[in-house]
């Protein structure tokens, strides 16, 4: 079954943009050492704060906010809807000058529905990030006013609704990912929906392996990342089994070729992207600073920094928009075991310190994927 959409030759960024639900960009968030220069910026973007609309800051933002040190803010008001696309200067606060990086310009458009979209460009310097303003947060409407002729439509995460009529389309732009969708429509037939992801066989279905040489040149080691079906980490996925969206996935990151009495594996961060690019702007963080992303309660770190194997789990997700793949990336480091100094403390209210250089033996990055999304309709 398929859905027929109306065609238009006029490009409108209000209808075609990339969603960025990254709460750390808010002007009340403290430093996370994010660098927007590392991301691949392409096209128009819309900001969200935990699924709610949020706009770029229009006034100078203090340093060490918005997940970075040098904060980028919009030097000028947002346009009105009737103004269309406008050009605005972006300033960067260095602490001594609120608008030192004043030569950067972006495109801005205000859209029906009380939100704005931005054509962003790669900043000139690192340790900079685009900032949003929490005072501009507004709820995100569940249904937009666009229409389509519906024959097979995902409605609530578990069913398709079949109906030959003109109906509102579910607004899937409430952030970059989803684990559930809700939409109320009249219907004549209901079809079960199963949204699944499988691993592409052209990539290693059992594990991802990275070979590394120690900085001092005295040896080599391997980093492996393996998805498992169970909490005992005894049944790895073999690339042929379906993974339901919202299904729990158990991940193991292990290092081989080092002395387990002296070295521990520490996961510093993990995130997912819809393309095979660790620096892609659309991403969802699972682990930040060795601990679960506070904005995702499906993530739990089971073991980190106590042995050569680190374990965590999360619930499988799907990116909104025209994305069908999921890639998982992790940054790790090898930690020299000294008085339990490598273990991460993720208890509530505890701010984990960055690892001391004396503890860090080597660093590595590893990725696994893609998980490919498929969906099927079966009559109920």
């Amino acid at each position: 079954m398929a859905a027929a959409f109306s065609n238009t030759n006029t490009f409108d960024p209000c209808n075609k943009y990339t969603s960025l639900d990254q709460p750390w960009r808010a002007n009340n968030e403290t430093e996370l050492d994010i660098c927007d220069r590392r991301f691949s910026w392409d096209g128009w973007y819309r900001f969200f704060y935990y699924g709610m609309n949020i706009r770029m800051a229009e006034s100078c933002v203090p340093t060490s906010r918005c997940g970075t040190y040098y904060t980028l803010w919009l030097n000028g008001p947002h346009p009105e809807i009737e103004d269309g696309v406008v050009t605005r200067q972006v300033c960067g606060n260095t602490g001594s000058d609120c608008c030192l990086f004043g030569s950067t310009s972006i495109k801005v458009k205000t859209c029906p529905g009380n939100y704005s979209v931005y054509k962003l460009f790669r900043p000139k310097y690192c340790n900079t990030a685009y900032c949003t303003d929490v005072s501009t947060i507004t709820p995100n409407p569940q249904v937009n006013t666009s229409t389509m002729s519906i024959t097979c439509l995902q409605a609530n995460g578990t069913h398709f609704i079949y109906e030959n009529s003109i109906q509102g389309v579910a607004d899937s732009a409430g952030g970059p990912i989803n684990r559930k969708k809700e939409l109320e429509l009249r219907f004549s037939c209901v079809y079960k929906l199963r949204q699944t992801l499988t691993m592409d066989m052209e990539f290693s279905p059992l594990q991802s392996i990275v070979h590394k040489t120690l900085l001092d040149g005295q040896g080599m080691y391997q980093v492996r990342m393996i998805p498992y079906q169970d909490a005992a980490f005894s049944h790895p996925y073999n690339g042929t089994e379906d993974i339901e969206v919202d299904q729990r996935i158990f991940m193991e990151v292990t290092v081989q070729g080092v002395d387990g009495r002296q070295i521990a594996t520490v996961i510093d961060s993990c995130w997912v992207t819809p393309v095979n690019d660790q620096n892609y702007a659309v991403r969802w963080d699972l682990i930040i600073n060795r601990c679960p992303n506070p904005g995702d309660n499906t993530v739990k770190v089971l073991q980190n920094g106590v042995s050569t194997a680190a374990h965590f789990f999360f619930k499988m997700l799907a990116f909104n928009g025209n994305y069908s793949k999921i890639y998982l990336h992790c940054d790790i480091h090898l930690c020299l075991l000294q008085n339990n100094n490598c273990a991460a403390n993720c208890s509530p209210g505890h701010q984990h310190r960055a690892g001391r250089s004396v503890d860090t033996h080597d660093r590595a990055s590893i990725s696994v994927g893609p998980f490919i999304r498929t969906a099927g309709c079966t009559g109920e």
Side-chain angles (χ1 to χ4, degrees), residues 48-107:
F48 291 89
Y49 185 85
Y50 296 114
M52 295 180 288
N53 296 319
I54 191 170
R55 289 182 170 183
M56 277 191 66
E58 295 181 353
S59 59
C60 184
V61 179
T63 55
S64 298
R65 302 288 178 91
C66 313
T68 191
Y69 184 76
Y70 302 118
T71 53
L72 301 179
W73 53 280
L74 201 64
N75 187 15
H78 284 76
E80 301 296 329
I81 293 178
E82 56 269 22
D83 295 332
V85 177
V86 302
T87 300
R88 288 288 185 265
Q89 182 189 45
V90 172
C91 287
N93 182 15
T94 62
S96 59
D97 189 335
C98 262
C99 200
L100 182 62
F101 310 144
S103 60
T104 302
S105 295
I106 65 171
K107 302 291 186 182

Side-chain angles (χ1 to χ4, degrees), residues 77-145:
H78 284 76
E80 301 296 329
I81 293 178
E82 56 269 22
D83 295 332
V85 177
V86 302
T87 300
R88 288 288 185 265
Q89 182 189 45
V90 172
C91 287
N93 182 15
T94 62
S96 59
D97 189 335
C98 262
C99 200
L100 182 62
F101 310 144
S103 60
T104 302
S105 295
I106 65 171
K107 302 291 186 182
V108 186
K109 183 177 182 181
T110 298
C111 304
N114 196 28
Y115 67 90
S116 298
V117 291
Y118 309 84
K119 189 172 185 180
L120 303 176
F121 299 94
R122 188 184 184 197
K124 296 180 179 179
Y125 307 99
C126 211
N127 298 111
T128 60
Y130 291 107
C131 289
T132 56
D133 184 356
V134 291
S135 68
T136 65
I137 294 175
T138 56
N140 182 42
Q142 294 297 308
V143 178
N144 62 33
T145 57

Side-chain angles (χ1 to χ4, degrees), residues 29-282:
E29 296 289 337
T30 54
E31 184 176 357
L32 287 175
D33 198 26
I34 300 296
C35 175
D36 272 352
R37 182 171 172 77
R38 297 173 183 159
F39 298 149
S40 302
W41 298 97
D42 183 21
W44 289 81
Y45 297 85
R46 177 181 173 185
F47 293 110
F48 291 89
Y49 185 85
Y50 296 114
M52 295 180 288
N53 296 319
I54 191 170
R55 289 182 170 183
M56 277 191 66
E58 295 181 353
S59 59
C60 184
V61 179
T63 55
S64 298
R65 302 288 178 91
C66 313
T68 191
Y69 184 76
Y70 302 118
T71 53
L72 301 179
W73 53 280
L74 201 64
N75 187 15
H78 284 76
E80 301 296 329
I81 293 178
E82 56 269 22
D83 295 332
V85 177
V86 302
T87 300
R88 288 288 185 265
Q89 182 189 45
V90 172
C91 287
N93 182 15
T94 62
S96 59
D97 189 335
C98 262
C99 200
L100 182 62
F101 310 144
S103 60
T104 302
S105 295
I106 65 171
K107 302 291 186 182
V108 186
K109 183 177 182 181
T110 298
C111 304
N114 196 28
Y115 67 90
S116 298
V117 291
Y118 309 84
K119 189 172 185 180
L120 303 176
F121 299 94
R122 188 184 184 197
K124 296 180 179 179
Y125 307 99
C126 211
N127 298 111
T128 60
Y130 291 107
C131 289
T132 56
D133 184 356
V134 291
S135 68
T136 65
I137 294 175
T138 56
N140 182 42
Q142 294 297 308
V143 178
N144 62 33
T145 57
S146 61
T147 61
M148 61 184 285
S149 177
I150 302 168
T151 57
C152 190
L153 172 68
Q154 182 178 336
N156 59 8
T158 60
H159 291 81
F160 275 133
I161 298 175
Y162 175 76
E163 184 177 273
N164 288 319
S165 62
I166 302 298
Q167 300 287 349
V169 180
D171 187 357
S172 61
I177 69 167
N178 74 77
R179 291 192 176 96
K180 181 180 180 182
K181 291 185 178 180
E182 293 184 357
L183 179 65
E184 292 184 2
L185 289 174
R186 290 176 298 173
F187 59 89
S188 56
C189 297
V190 178
Y191 290 80
K192 285 184 178 179
L193 165 68
R194 188 174 67 173
Q195 187 174 207
T196 61
L197 294 93
T198 58
M199 290 197 68
D200 192 338
M201 292 298 291
E202 68 177 340
F203 288 78
S204 173
L206 293 177
Q207 59 188 324
S208 178
I209 305 175
V210 171
H211 299 268
K212 286 276 293 183
T213 301
L214 291 171
L215 294 176
D216 56 14
Q218 295 182 1
M220 294 185 64
Y221 65 93
Q222 290 183 340
V223 184
R224 297 172 183 263
M225 182 156 62
I226 309 171
Y228 285 88
Q229 305 176 46
D230 61 316
F233 294 89
S234 59
H235 295 92
Y237 282 99
N238 58 22
T240 61
E241 299 188 33
D242 293 336
I243 305 173
E244 299 276 353
V245 169
D246 207 34
Q247 178 178 334
R248 188 169 289 175
I249 307 297
F250 297 87
M251 299 300 304
E252 178 180 76
V253 180
T254 183
V255 172
Q256 297 177 342
V258 297
D259 188 348
R261 297 168 298 178
Q262 302 183 51
I263 298 293
T265 301
V266 178
I267 299 176
D268 295 310
S269 59
C270 289
W271 64 101
V272 290
T273 61
V275 300
N276 192 17
D277 181 356
Q278 292 188 1
N279 299 319
Y280 197 62
V282 179

